[in-house]
């Protein structure tokens, strides 16, 4: 697909759809005509730019070259209904939802890891889960150098990963608790979108409980990592936790490498890897945090250290903006790979 400019459609006007519009502009994607589709027509403004959101329909995809579906984690997204219609009309679909990720005919892509897989698409390319994206981006440079046998990861995931309604829940809960003078840290609000209170709390459930009492989000980290890295022999175990942060996922990642590699060498490799920012000076309290990653496209890594009891064991602390690199930016990067291939 070689053109000077492309007709682009963004499907979804929620937090990820808004971020997609923002990233397209910031990265200078060569857009000819830009359309925004949602369930209903309405005006929308992003950073001073006004968009006329159109009601989604199969006919709306006529002439579209790239269709970016914002997707909704945990729900069937618009791509289930409209992806095939968009492809039939000549568009390449990049879907941020979960509906096509494990389809063997659909590439699942993090450009820093497996950009070549874009060429295998048959009209649809899947964007991985936000927590998977930042983890594999950090692991891939290490994997290429020393191999990885085992991964144990605990994620600390922000409210925005569950959508705008979850962010509003956190805000309302904080307000209610503050009104009590912080004497009571329990908030009882209506229209709760998450399974538990989030303000002044953390809870170890993201997604529904599935096989072996792991959640669907935890299994995504396993299965998506295997597919992206083309290695299903890596033993991966995950615990996913929702935390009272607006935006920015953090992960404590423990790995066992196939061959010995020092923490110093890991830091050297990561500091030279595209899309990675090494922030690792613990004596000066320098390490990645969600507040610093928000609005950024890179994956931040710190707290790199060896395991004093396991020869090939290493710890990493990995942070990224889940709406940008974890969703919108990665999708636009995939689109950039599509138009350059």
């Amino acid at each position: 697909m070689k053109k000077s400019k492309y007709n682009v459609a963004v499907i979804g006007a929620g937090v990820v759809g808004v971020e997609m519009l923002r990233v397209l502009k910031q990265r200078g994607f060569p857009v000819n005509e830009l359309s925004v589709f949602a369930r209903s027509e309405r005006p929308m403004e992003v950073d001073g730019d006004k968009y006329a959101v159109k009601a989604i329909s199969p006919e709306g995809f006529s002439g579209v070259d790239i269709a970016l579906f914002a997707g909704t984690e945990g729900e069937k997204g618009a791509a289930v209904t409209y992806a095939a219609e968009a492809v039939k009309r000549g568009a390449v679909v990049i879907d941020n939802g979960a509906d096509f990720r494990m389809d063997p005919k659909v590439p699942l892509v993090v450009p820093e890891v497996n950009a070549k897989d874009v060429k295998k698409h048959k009209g649809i390319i899947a964007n991985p889960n936000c927590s998977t994206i930042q983890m594999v981006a950090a692991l891939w440079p290490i994997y290429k150098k020393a191999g990885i046998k085992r991964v144990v990861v605990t994620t600390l995931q922000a409210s925005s990963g569950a959508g705008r309604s979850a962010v509003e829940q956190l805000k309302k809960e904080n307000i209610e608790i503050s009104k009590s003078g912080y004497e009571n840290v329990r908030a009882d609000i209506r229209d709760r979108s998450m399974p538990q209170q989030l303000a002044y709390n953390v809870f170890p459930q993201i997604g529904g409980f599935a096989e072996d009492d792991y959640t669907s989000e935890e299994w995504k980290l396993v299965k998506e990592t295997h597919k992206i890295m083309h290695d299903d022999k890596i033993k991966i175990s995950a615990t996913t936790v929702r935390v009272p942060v607006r935006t920015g996922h953090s992960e404590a990642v423990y790995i066992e490498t196939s061959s010995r590699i020092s923490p110093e060498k890991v830091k050297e490799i990561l500091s030279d890897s595209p899309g990675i920012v090494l922030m690792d000076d613990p004596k000066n309290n320098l390490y990645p945090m969600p507040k610093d990653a928000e609005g950024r496209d890179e994956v931040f890594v710190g707290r790199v250290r060896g395991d004093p009891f396991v020869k090939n064991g290493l710890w990493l602390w990995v942070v990224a903006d889940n709406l940008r690199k974890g969703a919108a930016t990665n999708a636009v990067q995939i689109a950039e790979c599509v138009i350059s291939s």
Side-chain angles (χ1 to χ4, degrees), residues 21 36 43-53:
L21 294 169
V36 183
M44 184 172 75
E45 186 171 324
V46 179
D47 300 336
D49 293 324
K50 296 181 179 180
Y51 301 90
V53 180

Side-chain angles (χ1 to χ4, degrees), residues 129-139 249-251 299 318-320:
N129 186 43
C130 46
S131 52
T132 304
I133 289 172
Q134 67 186 73
M135 185 175 79
V136 298
L139 294 185
H249 290 354
S250 304
E251 298 175 345
V299 173
V318 183
V319 179

Side-chain angles (χ1 to χ4, degrees), residues 265-327:
K265 186 63 177 177
V266 169
K267 292 177 187 180
E268 179 185 327
I269 292 168
L270 291 173
S271 63
D272 291 335
S273 298
I276 301 290
V277 174
L278 183 70
M279 295 179 65
D280 199 329
D281 187 3
K283 291 180 181 178
N284 289 304
N285 305 318
L286 182 65
Y287 30 69
M289 293 181 287
K291 71 177 183 63
D292 301 318
E294 188 171 353
R296 299 282 297 273
D297 290 332
E298 304 92 340
V299 173
F300 297 83
V301 183
R303 297 296 316 278
V304 179
R305 61 203 188 277
D307 184 337
F309 303 103
V310 177
K311 182 179 177 181
N312 290 3
L314 289 163
W315 278 103
L316 310 172
W317 176 252
V318 183
V319 179
D321 185 323
N322 52 290
L323 299 180
R324 290 186 70 97
K325 183 54 184 171

